[in-house]
Amino acid sequence: MPTLGVIPARLQSSRLPEKLLLRETGRSLLEHTYRAASGAKSLDELVVATDSEAIAAEVERFGGAVELTGEHPSGTDRLAEVARRRGEFDVLVNVQGDEPEIDPAAIDLLANAVTGSDAEMATLCSPLTDPAAFRDPANVKVVCAPDGRALYFSRAPIPFPRDESEHPGGVPENARLHIGAYAYRREFLIRLSELPPSRLERVEKLEQLRALEAGCTLRVCEVAVHACGVDTREDYNAFVARHAARAARSGA
């Protein structure tokens, strides 16, 4: 199935303004993400979707492809606009612009989960073992069926260990952290964007619950670790430090 990778990108960010244009490594954060995602073998094409002229200019500067869109409340809506105009692609993969260290193999895992099955949508998870992270509502958890279908997403600690003595540290063995990367069948993505927020979505403030309530077969693929997203100045400084360390090792 023809597969399009899309990096939804907006200029403003509440916690780190214009973070995608930060370039203390010599390359913008967005260029790092684009270059990393370009390594995915499953993508027939990769584009940045944005309503910002500054973002578009940056993409053109480093030689990437860009799609100008209207203003949208979410990356999913921006992705759906691209899906409507790019009908030659059957599958679209949403790549977060603020994940400069994303593993191309994770993108391939996502894309193949849709192209190789009857799933309408796919996402990622990783094992969750830290008790504090398990209880933190900022970390979204996912519970899956044995075949990998998503059953529920929540900010609450799920599955809840009713008998903590059976679970060292109070974290069940099958606890999984949800990673917000997605692949969609084009038709389902367009339909999803046209649905109003669902009941559970409004309660948990989790858009993926709209897909489940719409009857979506949502496949969850597990990776050992996930890329560190850049949300704050501290996150960016840590990325710059890791990048410098890698550059030093490669130059040794």
Side-chain angles (χ1 to χ4, degrees), residues 137-140 152-156 178 182 197-210 213:
N139 295 322
V140 177
Y152 195 66
F153 297 85
S154 183
R155 298 184 184 280
H178 176 234
Y182 301 97
S198 69
R199 298 169 304 158
L200 294 173
E201 176 187 0
R202 291 195 298 269
V203 173
E204 296 254 18
K205 299 296 185 289
L206 296 175
E207 193 178 61
Q208 60 269 38
L209 291 174
R210 187 190 312 178
E213 288 196 84

Side-chain angles (χ1 to χ4, degrees), residues 43-87:
L43 301 182
D44 296 295
E45 190 175 332
L46 176 66
V47 301
V48 174
T50 186
D51 59 5
S52 164
E53 293 289 348
I55 292 287
E58 168 60 12
V59 177
E60 291 170 354
R61 185 199 63 76
F62 64 68
V66 65
E67 292 263 356
L68 284 170
T69 70
E71 293 186 16
H72 291 288
S74 73
T76 302
D77 292 314
R78 198 179 303 279
L79 201 72
E81 180 182 336
V82 175
R84 289 184 181 93
R85 71 171 70 151
R86 301 298 300 271

Side-chain angles (χ1 to χ4, degrees), residues 125-130 173 175-177 222-226:
C125 74
S126 63
L128 183 56
T129 58
D130 179 69
E173 183 179 327
R176 293 295 182 269
L177 175 71
E222 185 168 318
V223 294
V225 294
H226 67 283

Side-chain angles (χ1 to χ4, degrees), residues 73-195:
S74 73
T76 302
D77 292 314
R78 198 179 303 279
L79 201 72
E81 180 182 336
V82 175
R84 289 184 181 93
R85 71 171 70 151
R86 301 298 300 271
E88 70 271 29
F89 292 100
D90 296 324
V91 175
L92 290 90
V93 180
N94 185 336
V95 180
Q96 299 297 321
D98 58 4
E99 293 195 357
E101 297 165 300
I102 189 168
D103 184 355
I107 296 174
D108 291 333
L109 193 63
L110 268 179
N112 295 335
V114 173
T115 60
S117 75
D118 61 350
E120 296 158 299
M121 184 174 168
T123 192
L124 298 174
C125 74
S126 63
L128 183 56
T129 58
D130 179 69
F134 182 58
R135 293 189 297 268
D136 188 347
N139 295 322
V140 177
K141 278 69 69 174
V142 59
V143 171
C144 303
D147 64 359
R149 287 179 298 111
L151 296 177
Y152 195 66
F153 297 85
S154 183
R155 298 184 184 280
I158 58 171
F160 183 79
R162 178 63 181 84
D163 187 348
E164 291 194 9
S165 65
E166 297 179 3
H167 306 281
V171 182
E173 183 179 327
N174 55 349
R176 293 295 182 269
L177 175 71
H178 176 234
I179 302 169
Y182 301 97
Y184 306 85
R185 289 184 185 270
R186 176 177 176 272
E187 296 83 1
F188 178 75
L189 170 61
I190 293 172
R191 180 164 72 90
L192 182 66
S193 71
E194 294 170 348
L195 294 174

